[in-house]
Amino acid sequence: MPLGSHRLNCLFYNTSVVEEAGVDPASLNSVSALIDAMETVASETDAIPMTHGASGTWTTTQFFAAVLLGQAGYDEYMNFVEGNPSEDAVRSAFESMATIFESYINEDAASIGLTESNQNIIEGNAAFIHQGNWAAGAYRNADDFAYNEDWGFKTFPGTEGMYTLHFDSFLFPSNNPTPENTRTWLEFVGGQEAQIAFNQYKGSIPTRTDVDMSEFGPYLQETAEDFADAEQRPPNIQHGLRISAETRSTLNDVISSEFSGPYNVDAATQGFVDAASN
Amino acid sequence: MREFLSSVRTRLRRVVSRAPGDSGDAVVTDGGAARAAGGLVDRLDERFGEDFTESAPFWLPPFLLVGLFVYGAIAWNFVISLTDYQGFIGPDYSDLDFEMYVRAANDSGVIDATVNTFLLVVAFTAVALAVGLVIAILVDRNIRFENTFRTIYLLPMSLSFVVTAQFWLWMYNYNNGVVNIALGTFGIGPISWIGNPQIVLWAVVFALVWQFSGYTMVVYLAGLRAIPTEHYEAARVDGASTVKMYWRVIIPQLKGSTISAAIVLMVFALKTFDFLYSLVSGYRPPNGTDILATKMVREAYSTNNWAYASAIAIILFLMALSIIGPYLYYQYNQGEL
């Protein structure tokens, strides 16, 4: 029973840094436009164009999914997830990532994780960050950091009209000593009351589309509309939808050994294609 | 106490011997007394001595507990590693084979982890012993505030690995970590300690040596203090310089301390899991520092490959045995076991 959903194809930005660089995030409709925008930020300001917390490899795998979706489109992404990856699509995704990682991210990426990376946006040291929308929770909790005034959201360039799925769910186990109790609990979880109470604090949106969104902030209300209106809803890779734990672990192994320091596009492409095809 | 134990022993003997009720002695024609047909307690007494059964109420309960929770658990782990257990479906004990070990031998991740474990253990032990020895020699020379220095050097050991990992992570930060700033004052450019897979293992070894050289210092200090002053004086009289005196006369006498400290350090090195896990707050340590312990935990709890992780655990167990085994054998030969 799905309880809440986070969205993964997000690009968050710090409005003052982006204005100082003269970049308009709303116009970024492709990954190459994003890379050009990062170049502009690098040359016009002192800020880091994109902040990335590479500690633990999961952020990089997640970023790969967004870049693949943005560059190659929904059909190629679904091919990858279902086990028929196109080597060209994977390779060009890694080439874009290598360009970004080699020139446009913070130098201490290897030592920091999500929290410190997010801090860079809140403090105005960086322009863009790609993350799931749980990162917005940190922005909501920061003092004096309001949506659309200090920070903004854009669907990841190239993925407009799509909502990359992530679900928090409760399961009904098959070997269950108390099936009636589980059923009662799952009915509660699927009801409006539970979905509002839980998602309000977690920063995700309810999976029911008929929930009253007035208690959620402006950013989440927008997200819920996007969820209902999205044309395509691709499942995410890093957080457990659609690929097995074994494959995900292998993908992360490839990132750790080939794409964490020196960025080896060929080896990473080969590793991902092999892992996804099995 | 002795009466209580004797009465327990007599009761036990009556219970387990084949002739309940008799005192255990029968008269034979040559005037001597023969034991009754041997019960369990009697046989144990003959084999191990009476102290063995008399003290059984003391050593038997912990023996059973350790046997179940430690050795039994290890045996069960070995059995699981022979199955194909993964995911949520329970282990199937009917189909046992060594498939997981073959897979481990062919897995480049496991081979890298083994190499890293070996490098970590050797480098950490050697450097910690050397640094501890140097500090012990310096502290031993009747300096002022000797106790203060000893405490300062020993304090890092009181920190938990989690705390150490966190602040070394901050210190190794490329942009604003203390280490790079200190090197910057000498003009040496910022070095990516965690991001560079060639250096990160040595950065971890350095942090661990910082934490444990206090322990080796204490061990060596005790060893140094045990050497009679006459040796120092005799070396001086014979005209040895300080360095030669230490190198030729004193250090060879520290063999016992070195071996015991080395064993303890090697076992600590195999437990570096805490440090590496806290370094990334996750199951996957930085590229270049994956050791068998982290690989094992990741396979078990992140990928749910229980049988594979059990096989890696047995490999790690054999590695630890290969360190402790020779030491125990050496101690046994010395008669100290």
Side-chain angles (χ1 to χ4, degrees), chain B residues 3 22 65 93 103 107 117 148 174 203-204 207 210 224 231 250-251 274 281 289 299 301 304 310 333-334:
Chain B
E3 293 88 52
D22 82 346
L65 285 174
Y93 291 115
R103 181 173 157 191
D107 184 357
T117 313
T148 317
Y174 185 82
V204 169
W210 171 85
L224 283 173
H231 291 222
I250 306 297
I251 291 181
D274 301 14
S281 315
T289 61
E299 286 293 334
Y301 295 105
N304 289 334
S310 302
N333 277 343
Q334 303 273 48

Side-chain angles (χ1 to χ4, degrees), chain A residues 11-31:
Chain A
L11 185 73
F12 296 108
Y13 56 88
N14 180 310
T15 38
S16 52
V17 175
V18 154
E19 276 169 12
E20 189 190 329
V23 171
D24 176 22
S27 68
L28 302 174
N29 282 335
S30 66
V31 175

Side-chain angles (χ1 to χ4, degrees), chain B residues 127-128 131-132 135 153 208-218:
Chain B
V127 178
V131 172
I135 301 180
Y153 289 130
L208 294 174
V209 165
W210 171 85
Q211 188 160 8
F212 280 100
S213 36
Y215 169 74
T216 38
M217 175 198 77
V218 164

Side-chain angles (χ1 to χ4, degrees), chain A residues 55-57 106-108 110-112 116 245-246 248-249 252-253 256-258 260-262, chain B residues 86 103 169-170 172-176 194-195 197 279-280 284-285 287 295 298 302-303 305:
Chain A
S55 173
T57 72
N106 45 325
E107 286 162 331
D108 57 354
S111 346
I112 64 173
E116 287 127 320
E246 183 80 46
R248 184 186 65 185
S249 179
N252 276 309
D253 279 339
S256 171
S257 38
E258 311 290 356
S260 293
Chain B
Q86 64 178 23
R103 181 173 157 191
L169 183 65
W170 288 332
Y172 279 139
N173 187 309
Y174 185 82
N175 285 338
N176 46 27
I194 311 255
L279 204 60
V280 280
R284 190 177 298 270
N287 186 23
K295 173 85 178 154
R298 197 161 71 235
S302 182
T303 325
N305 283 340

Side-chain angles (χ1 to χ4, degrees), chain B residues 72-86:
Chain B
I74 293 176
W76 191 9
N77 187 320
F78 180 64
V79 171
I80 290 184
S81 72
L82 300 178
T83 67
D84 286 331
Y85 184 18
Q86 64 178 23

